[in-house]
Amino acid sequence: MSHILLRHRDIPDINKLDVYLANGGFSAFRKVVTGMDKQAVVDEVKKSGLRGRGGAGFPTGLKWSFIDNNSWPHYVVANADESEPGTFKDREIMEQNPFQFLEGVAIASYAVGANAAYVYLRGEFWQQAHFLDECIAEMEKAGFLGDNLFDTDYSLRIYTHLGAGAYICGEETALLESLEGKRGQPRLRPPFPPSVGLYGKPTIVNNVETLTNVPPIIERGADWYRTFGTEKSPGVKIFSLSGNVEKPGNYELPLGTTFRELIFTHGGGIPNGRGVKAIMPAGASSSVIVATDEALDTPMDYEQVQNVGSVLGSASVIVIDDSYSMEWVVNKTLHFFKHESCGKCTPCREGTYWMLNISNRIHQGRGSAQDVDLLYDVAKQIQSKCLCALGEFSTMAVVTGIERFRTDFDSQGQSTPAEG
Amino acid sequence: MNRLLKEYPQEVEKTLAKYPLEQKRSAVMPLLYLAQRDKMHIDRQDMIDVAEICGITETEVKAIAGFYTLYHEEPGGKIRVQVCTDIACALRGADEFYAHLCERLGVEDGGTTPDGAVTVEQVKCLAACHNVPVFQVQNADGLTYYENQSVESALEIIEKLRQGESQEEAA
């Protein structure tokens, strides 16, 4: 099967404009601007069943239909903040197939009536931002961006904006705050961005991979797109495979591919003759899956991963072999969330601090007999009380790690009270 | 006079042009990068300069500089070597790589080499989990990734960057 998103793996140099054009590039954008009603574009994407690839899995067409037409101007913002540990797919798209992504931005902008779009990249994607700037300049020169596109009255400009190292800016309202020149802290919702977004105006925020799906959907139709994946999770997904596997990397596969196929057929299995102990399917934010045969045979789509007690998220599949203790894994994830908590809401700011504190005690063998229960209890108390998903995510590995791998924590050793 | 307007008039203008006229505040992050470029840290005068261009207070600029990890308020090396030791990298030996690199450079975690040229620090996931060990270098040129590294190749890269830096200073 040829790639729909990672097309550079089939067509060399597709990150050059002439090669992209020679392979049908921008025909979908031309088609919508010159011949399709805005509503028809939204309807086609709705019909395709495309769901947000950034992690939440929200239906893309439905999100677009929420744009408030009583308030103007409108904006489209591409979320290129890719920061979930284990996720590295958007980076490959922007480096290798940037025009398909930018064409997706352009089609989305047309569909919601936006004349300006921003690509918000994490600060570390400095090179990618400069490359996209070059691509955007080429598109302007070739007449795909600017005023009166294809001799219509539609105009569009795309700008890049670099973050500066903050995981929270992947949360869409924190991203908008950051783009407005503020600290990246989430807003209270509702209102949601399609009503009140960038500069208080209706805004659609979509992930890079989501937008990259749009040109082929417009070009070949929703029915074609639905021939991939499952009924409720149609289409293809890029799975970022990392951790203890022979061949880590990005794999574009239909939604519903099993963990076993990804890890063993594509990823080459586990190195050093080790067994697979656990899987984190949504990066550091995952509930940890015990790698039983049943779990390995579970199809990876938005519904079925829940059957084994986790979520698909951004499909950043981290594989953990049986030489690692879950206690160590949990400690690592807590270092991450403590560092990335934005500090706005108390349960997350204080909770991640205390979870790391207790986890460090356990990890360093200074813990008391009650510390594992205390860590579990603190995590449970954070749940459902945070302003955004980050606080919730910080508890997932803690709660499921302790519930499903309790002996890893208890065997870490305890100190005498005097040392604690 | 405002140093940014004096030294980088075109960059400032180009940056402001990205945002609506009444939303100059959006330029605060790109302008902080600009202010940081030469000395790899941001001082109080930089914040005053950025605040003036964006039409916000110095306090607001400081709050932003303090929030994001890629802005540095404390002087350090002009070459910042930032090694990912997050979960996916750690499963592929990043902690050991980082420890060896620090040892060979003779620095503590987060420390700067005795000549003041290179600061070495741990960072969170860089979205390069399939090419471990990975580090990025933050310097006047921006940010550059170095993937699939060994301690030896990393030391070679750092040495080259250090030589480039000292040549620039001599010139």
Side-chain angles (χ1 to χ4, degrees):
Chain A
M1 193 181 103
S2 58
H3 293 84
I4 296 167
L5 306 171
L6 303 176
R7 283 182 79 202
H8 54 280
R9 295 190 180 181
D10 306 319
I11 304 165
D13 296 328
I14 199 161
N15 60 356
K16 296 191 170 73
L17 183 58
D18 56 336
V19 178
Y20 185 63
L21 286 173
N23 287 279
F26 291 106
S27 57
F29 184 44
R30 183 190 301 269
K31 178 174 160 185
V32 298
V33 174
T34 58
M36 274 175 91
D37 181 57
K38 287 181 342 188
Q39 189 58 44
V41 182
V42 175
D43 287 343
E44 193 67 19
V45 173
K46 249 189 200 172
K47 212 175 122 196
S48 76
L50 175 65
R51 296 168 65 167
R53 302 296 194 232
F58 192 81
T60 306
L62 190 62
K63 192 188 245 190
W64 292 7
S65 72
F66 290 157
I67 195 99
D68 182 354
N69 284 316
N70 295 313
S71 172
W72 294 87
H74 294 172
Y75 292 103
V76 164
V77 176
N79 186 343
D81 191 61
E82 183 164 65
S83 303
E84 180 66 46
T87 314
F88 44 89
K89 63 194 177 61
D90 297 338
R91 188 182 149 212
E92 180 169 346
I93 291 172
M94 291 188 289
E95 286 173 355
Q96 306 293 338
N97 193 12
F99 292 107
Q100 185 173 328
F101 157 56
L102 291 169
E103 185 175 4
V105 175
I107 294 168
S109 300
Y110 174 80
V112 301
N115 301 114
Y118 290 93
V119 180
Y120 183 102
L121 301 101
R122 60 179 295 180
E124 291 81 356
F125 287 173
W126 182 283
Q127 309 281 351
Q128 291 78 1
H130 286 80
F131 181 51
L132 286 184
D133 282 341
E134 288 170 24
C135 296
I136 289 166
E138 283 181 62
M139 282 169 66
E140 283 170 356
K141 216 184 260 175
F144 299 121
L145 288 175
D147 293 327
N148 302 108
L149 297 170
F150 311 112
D151 298 320
T152 68
D153 59 1
Y154 184 63
S155 306
L156 176 65
R157 283 188 169 74
I158 302 178
Y159 306 97
T160 59
H161 182 101
L162 269 177
Y167 168 73
I168 188 60
C169 291
E171 194 284 333
E172 62 178 6
T173 62
L175 184 155
L176 295 173
E177 287 286 297
S178 180
L179 186 48
E180 289 182 4
K182 300 168 190 162
R183 281 176 295 174
Q185 294 184 317
R187 297 173 181 171
L188 196 61
R189 294 162 299 163
F192 291 93
S195 320
V196 181
L198 182 63
Y199 308 131
K201 300 299 178 188
T203 303
I204 297 298
V205 184
N206 281 145
N207 166 263
V208 171
E209 184 188 352
T210 309
L211 290 163
T212 307
N213 274 280
V214 171
I217 288 171
I218 295 299
E219 186 70 27
R220 305 172 76 169
D223 293 335
W224 162 81
Y225 191 72
R226 279 190 165 277
T227 61
F228 306 98
T230 63
E231 175 61 29
K232 286 184 178 165
S233 301
V236 291
K237 178 84 192 77
I238 303 174
F239 296 88
S240 292
L241 181 65
S242 68
N244 303 128
V245 287
E246 286 286 358
K247 292 186 281 182
N250 285 318
Y251 297 94
E252 178 184 321
L253 300 163
L255 279 160
T257 302
T258 64
F259 283 107
R260 193 186 297 280
E261 183 182 335
L262 176 69
I263 296 168
F264 291 92
T265 309
H266 301 284
I270 317 299
N272 309 317
R274 287 280 176 181
V276 49
K277 172 173 179 162
I279 303 165
M280 300 182 84
S285 300
S286 304
S287 288
V288 188
I289 296 175
V290 185
T292 58
D293 277 337
E294 185 207 347
L296 288 168
D297 289 324
T298 298
M300 294 181 287
D301 65 24
Y302 295 102
E303 287 74 34
Q304 297 184 80
V305 176
Q306 293 181 19
N307 296 342
V308 281
S310 196
V311 293
L312 182 65
S314 55
S316 33
V317 180
I318 304 175
V319 178
I320 300 162
D321 77 27
D322 55 15
S323 68
Y324 288 91
S325 164
M326 201 51 59
E327 180 280 317
W328 172 84
V329 171
V330 165
N331 186 256
K332 269 283 178 194
T333 65
L334 284 174
H335 273 284
F336 177 79
F337 287 111
K338 151 74 173 58
H339 184 264
E340 299 298 347
S341 175
C342 82
K344 184 166 179 171
C345 76
T346 314
C348 176
R349 182 186 62 240
E350 300 299 315
T352 52
Y353 171 86
W354 282 107
M355 284 195 295
L356 177 61
N357 215 323
I358 302 164
S359 170
N360 278 342
R361 284 207 303 255
I362 299 168
H363 187 65
Q364 293 155 8
R366 302 185 283 117
S368 73
Q370 292 82 37
D371 270 348
V372 180
D373 289 330
L374 181 62
L375 176 59
Y376 184 80
D377 194 43
V378 173
K380 284 298 239 188
Q381 289 187 56
I382 293 168
Q383 291 189 335
S384 322
K385 295 183 186 67
C386 298
L387 186 63
C388 80
L390 189 151
E392 197 75 15
F393 290 162
S394 74
T395 67
M396 305 312 269
V398 178
V399 168
T400 54
I402 294 173
E403 282 175 357
R404 300 170 188 174
F405 300 89
R406 174 84 196 207
T407 51
D408 284 9
F409 293 81
D410 290 334
S411 61
Q412 191 55 29
Q414 292 156 12
S415 66
T416 57
E419 283 176 287
Chain B
M1 167 159 182
N2 193 307
R3 178 176 74 91
L4 297 179
L5 289 174
K6 196 174 137 204
E7 288 180 20
Y8 309 106
Q10 282 173 330
E11 278 101 327
V12 172
E13 197 184 328
K14 225 175 117 189
T15 300
L16 289 171
K18 284 183 168 186
Y19 312 100
L21 270 179
E22 66 284 9
Q23 303 291 351
K24 283 189 179 149
R25 182 181 182 140
S26 276
V28 64
M29 292 175 72
L31 293 180
L32 280 171
Y33 277 124
L34 204 55
Q36 183 172 260
R37 191 189 282 176
D38 283 337
K39 45 194 193 312
M40 277 311 288
H41 72 270
I42 294 165
D43 59 29
R44 182 155 177 217
Q45 189 57 46
D46 293 328
M47 298 196 201
I48 295 170
D49 290 349
V50 171
E52 189 192 10
I53 298 170
C54 296
I56 54 177
T57 66
E58 179 198 341
T59 311
E60 285 171 302
V61 176
K62 187 167 171 65
I64 293 155
F67 185 84
Y68 298 97
T69 55
L70 290 173
Y71 301 128
H72 310 288
E73 291 179 69
E74 296 297 322
K78 284 195 180 179
I79 301 163
R80 283 182 179 265
V81 176
Q82 301 165 337
V83 182
C84 177
T85 54
D86 221 329
I87 179 72
C89 276
L91 287 165
R92 302 182 74 81
D95 284 327
E96 294 76 11
F97 170 81
Y98 181 69
H100 287 154
L101 187 64
C102 286
E103 194 188 316
R104 291 285 299 274
L105 286 167
V107 296
E108 298 283 304
D109 175 19
T112 301
T113 52
D115 63 354
V118 184
T119 298
V120 189
E121 49 203 348
Q122 299 182 65
V123 290
K124 301 303 171 198
C125 185
L126 293 177
C129 324
H130 53 329
N131 294 328
V132 186
V134 56
F135 62 90
Q136 64 180 1
V137 170
Q138 189 184 15
N139 60 9
D141 298 331
L143 276 155
T144 312
Y145 275 43
Y146 296 93
E147 300 173 71
N148 291 315
Q149 295 296 312
S150 64
V151 173
E152 295 306 324
S153 65
L155 288 169
E156 224 169 273
I157 288 161
I158 293 166
E159 191 45 42
K160 262 188 202 152
L161 289 167
R162 196 205 293 256
Q163 282 170 9
E165 189 64 45
S166 59
Q167 274 169 9
E168 214 160 89
E169 266 173 26

